[in-house]
Amino acid sequence: MNIDMNLLNIFGSGDDKRKSHVKNLITVAMADGHLAKEEWDLLVTIARKLEMSNDDIQNIKNNPEDIKFTPPKKYDEKIQQVEDLVAVMMIDGDVDKNEMELCKKLALKLDLLPRVVNDLIYETYKKKIAHR
C-alpha cells in the first residue's frame, strides 16, 4: 500500500473530505470492538499527512456524529482512501470480519466494487511473502 504519496495533493484542501476520511479510518479501526495501538499510530500518521492536528483527530474520534460522509470525486482519491482503510484494518495482524465488512461497505459508498478490498489484501500478503 502506498500511503507515502503526498496525500494533500490527492485530497486537496477539502477539510470535509479529510475529516470524513479520518472518521472512516477510526470507524474501521474500532469495528472489532477495540482500538489497537498499531491501528491508532497508523491512523494518526495518515491524519498528520492530511495536515490534521491531534486535537482534530481526537475531536473526530470523540464526536463522529458531527462528521458527514464526504466522498472524493476522483478515482485515485477513492482508491487511496480504501488503501488507507485496508492498511489500518491489517496493521494489527488481525483482519476482523466486522472490519472487513465495513471496508467493503465504505468501498461501495465510494462507488468502488467491494472486491477492491480483497484485491488490496491479496496484494499486501503477496508483497509480504515476496519479502521473506
Side-chain angles (χ1 to χ4, degrees):
M1 303 216 195
N2 186 4
I3 58 172
D4 293 330
M5 316 173 68
N6 186 342
L7 292 177
L8 278 179
N9 286 345
I10 289 179
F11 289 102
S13 60
D15 201 41
D16 289 344
K17 276 194 290 188
R18 292 184 292 147
K19 286 181 179 179
S20 175
H21 184 43
V22 171
K23 174 188 174 180
N24 292 337
L25 292 169
I26 291 169
T27 304
V28 166
M30 296 180 73
D32 61 358
H34 70 281
L35 182 60
K37 181 181 179 342
E38 303 94 336
E39 291 171 328
W40 182 253
D41 291 346
L42 178 57
L43 193 150
V44 168
T45 298
I46 293 168
R48 288 227 177 94
K49 288 181 181 183
L50 295 170
E51 292 188 353
M52 299 191 81
S53 69
N54 285 345
D55 287 344
D56 291 334
I57 301 164
Q58 205 59 49
N59 196 27
I60 293 167
K61 182 181 179 217
N62 295 339
N63 306 292
E65 67 283 349
D66 293 348
I67 309 298
K68 73 177 180 78
F69 181 75
T70 308
K73 290 177 178 43
K74 294 180 183 170
Y75 178 78
D76 289 353
E77 294 173 6
K78 293 175 183 186
I79 290 294
Q80 182 65 53
Q81 283 197 11
V82 175
E83 285 180 354
D84 292 347
L85 293 166
V86 169
V88 167
M89 174 182 67
M90 295 183 71
I91 192 76
D92 64 355
D94 177 31
V95 177
D96 181 80
K97 186 178 91 170
N98 293 332
E99 290 174 327
M100 174 79 84
E101 287 176 14
L102 186 55
C103 280
K104 289 181 177 186
K105 284 178 185 173
L106 288 167
L108 265 177
K109 283 179 81 171
L110 291 166
D111 292 327
L112 298 171
L113 292 174
R115 85 167 238 227
V116 74
V117 173
N118 295 345
D119 293 346
L120 290 169
I121 292 169
Y122 174 75
E123 288 300 315
T124 301
Y125 281 127
K126 202 165 85 172
K127 286 177 186 171
K128 282 184 182 180
I129 290 170
H131 284 94
R132 288 185 181 176

